[in-house]
PDB file of all heavy atoms in Angstrom:
ATOM      1  N   ASN A   4     -21.348 -18.167 -20.170  1.00 73.00           N
ATOM      2  CA  ASN A   4     -21.435 -18.734 -18.823  1.00 73.00           C
ATOM      3  C   ASN A   4     -20.749 -17.817 -17.820  1.00 73.00           C
ATOM      4  O   ASN A   4     -19.963 -16.944 -18.187  1.00 73.00           O
ATOM      5  CB  ASN A   4     -20.835 -20.151 -18.784  1.00 73.00           C
ATOM      6  CG  ASN A   4     -19.348 -20.168 -19.133  1.00 73.00           C
ATOM      7  OD1 ASN A   4     -18.549 -19.472 -18.515  1.00 73.00           O
ATOM      8  ND2 ASN A   4     -18.983 -20.949 -20.138  1.00 73.00           N
ATOM      9  N   TRP A   5     -21.055 -18.021 -16.531  1.00 74.00           N
ATOM     10  CA  TRP A   5     -20.558 -17.111 -15.505  1.00 74.00           C
ATOM     11  C   TRP A   5     -19.039 -17.116 -15.425  1.00 74.00           C
ATOM     12  O   TRP A   5     -18.410 -16.088 -15.180  1.00 74.00           O
ATOM     13  CB  TRP A   5     -21.145 -17.448 -14.137  1.00 74.00           C
ATOM     14  CG  TRP A   5     -20.393 -16.741 -13.060  1.00 74.00           C
ATOM     15  CD1 TRP A   5     -19.613 -17.277 -12.092  1.00 74.00           C
ATOM     16  CD2 TRP A   5     -20.281 -15.314 -12.887  1.00 74.00           C
ATOM     17  NE1 TRP A   5     -19.038 -16.295 -11.331  1.00 74.00           N
ATOM     18  CE2 TRP A   5     -19.426 -15.077 -11.802  1.00 74.00           C
ATOM     19  CE3 TRP A   5     -20.830 -14.220 -13.574  1.00 74.00           C
ATOM     20  CZ2 TRP A   5     -19.113 -13.802 -11.364  1.00 74.00           C
ATOM     21  CZ3 TRP A   5     -20.502 -12.939 -13.127  1.00 74.00           C
ATOM     22  CH2 TRP A   5     -19.666 -12.733 -12.036  1.00 74.00           C
ATOM     23  N   ASP A   6     -18.419 -18.268 -15.642  1.00 83.00           N
ATOM     24  CA  ASP A   6     -16.971 -18.308 -15.501  1.00 83.00           C
ATOM     25  C   ASP A   6     -16.294 -17.407 -16.520  1.00 83.00           C
ATOM     26  O   ASP A   6     -15.277 -16.769 -16.221  1.00 83.00           O
ATOM     27  CB  ASP A   6     -16.467 -19.746 -15.641  1.00 83.00           C
ATOM     28  CG  ASP A   6     -15.144 -19.938 -14.918  1.00 83.00           C
ATOM     29  OD1 ASP A   6     -15.041 -19.539 -13.749  1.00 83.00           O
ATOM     30  OD2 ASP A   6     -14.199 -20.454 -15.549  1.00 83.00           O
ATOM     31  N   ASP A   7     -16.864 -17.308 -17.728  1.00 87.00           N
ATOM     32  CA  ASP A   7     -16.321 -16.376 -18.712  1.00 87.00           C
ATOM     33  C   ASP A   7     -16.562 -14.931 -18.286  1.00 87.00           C
ATOM     34  O   ASP A   7     -15.746 -14.047 -18.554  1.00 87.00           O
ATOM     35  CB  ASP A   7     -16.940 -16.622 -20.087  1.00 87.00           C
ATOM     36  CG  ASP A   7     -16.401 -17.890 -20.747  1.00 87.00           C
ATOM     37  OD1 ASP A   7     -15.372 -18.409 -20.277  1.00 87.00           O
ATOM     38  OD2 ASP A   7     -17.017 -18.363 -21.719  1.00 87.00           O
ATOM     39  N   MET A   8     -17.668 -14.695 -17.606  1.00 87.00           N
ATOM     40  CA  MET A   8     -17.940 -13.348 -17.079  1.00 87.00           C
ATOM     41  C   MET A   8     -16.924 -12.983 -15.995  1.00 87.00           C
ATOM     42  O   MET A   8     -16.504 -11.830 -15.887  1.00 87.00           O
ATOM     43  CB  MET A   8     -19.360 -13.283 -16.527  1.00 87.00           C
ATOM     44  CG  MET A   8     -20.446 -13.492 -17.569  1.00 87.00           C
ATOM     45  SD  MET A   8     -20.548 -12.110 -18.718  1.00 87.00           S
ATOM     46  CE  MET A   8     -21.492 -10.971 -17.737  1.00 87.00           C
ATOM     47  N   ARG A   9     -16.537 -13.966 -15.215  1.00 87.00           N
ATOM     48  CA  ARG A   9     -15.512 -13.731 -14.190  1.00 87.00           C
ATOM     49  C   ARG A   9     -14.196 -13.327 -14.848  1.00 87.00           C
ATOM     50  O   ARG A   9     -13.490 -12.430 -14.363  1.00 87.00           O
ATOM     51  CB  ARG A   9     -15.344 -15.013 -13.368  1.00 87.00           C
ATOM     52  CG  ARG A   9     -14.366 -14.913 -12.214  1.00 87.00           C
ATOM     53  CD  ARG A   9     -14.433 -16.184 -11.362  1.00 87.00           C
ATOM     54  NE  ARG A   9     -13.968 -17.332 -12.126  1.00 87.00           N
ATOM     55  CZ  ARG A   9     -12.707 -17.759 -12.128  1.00 87.00           C
ATOM     56  NH1 ARG A   9     -11.792 -17.121 -11.410  1.00 87.00           N
ATOM     57  NH2 ARG A   9     -12.359 -18.818 -12.821  1.00 87.00           N
ATOM     58  N   VAL A  10     -13.861 -13.980 -15.952  1.00 90.00           N
ATOM     59  CA  VAL A  10     -12.653 -13.623 -16.700  1.00 90.00           C
ATOM     60  C   VAL A  10     -12.796 -12.214 -17.284  1.00 90.00           C
ATOM     61  O   VAL A  10     -11.856 -11.415 -17.257  1.00 90.00           O
ATOM     62  CB  VAL A  10     -12.397 -14.655 -17.820  1.00 90.00           C
ATOM     63  CG1 VAL A  10     -11.228 -14.214 -18.699  1.00 90.00           C
ATOM     64  CG2 VAL A  10     -12.113 -16.027 -17.225  1.00 90.00           C
ATOM     65  N   PHE A  11     -13.980 -11.905 -17.800  1.00 89.00           N
ATOM     66  CA  PHE A  11     -14.242 -10.566 -18.341  1.00 89.00           C
ATOM     67  C   PHE A  11     -14.002  -9.497 -17.271  1.00 89.00           C
ATOM     68  O   PHE A  11     -13.357  -8.465 -17.533  1.00 89.00           O
ATOM     69  CB  PHE A  11     -15.687 -10.492 -18.847  1.00 89.00           C
ATOM     70  CG  PHE A  11     -16.203  -9.092 -19.043  1.00 89.00           C
ATOM     71  CD1 PHE A  11     -15.793  -8.324 -20.129  1.00 89.00           C
ATOM     72  CD2 PHE A  11     -17.084  -8.522 -18.122  1.00 89.00           C
ATOM     73  CE1 PHE A  11     -16.260  -7.028 -20.301  1.00 89.00           C
ATOM     74  CE2 PHE A  11     -17.551  -7.233 -18.288  1.00 89.00           C
ATOM     75  CZ  PHE A  11     -17.131  -6.475 -19.382  1.00 89.00           C
TER      76      PHE A  11
END
Side-chain angles (χ1 to χ4, degrees):
N4 62 55
W5 166 247
D6 205 49
D7 286 345
M8 296 291 279
R9 183 172 66 92
V10 174
F11 163 75

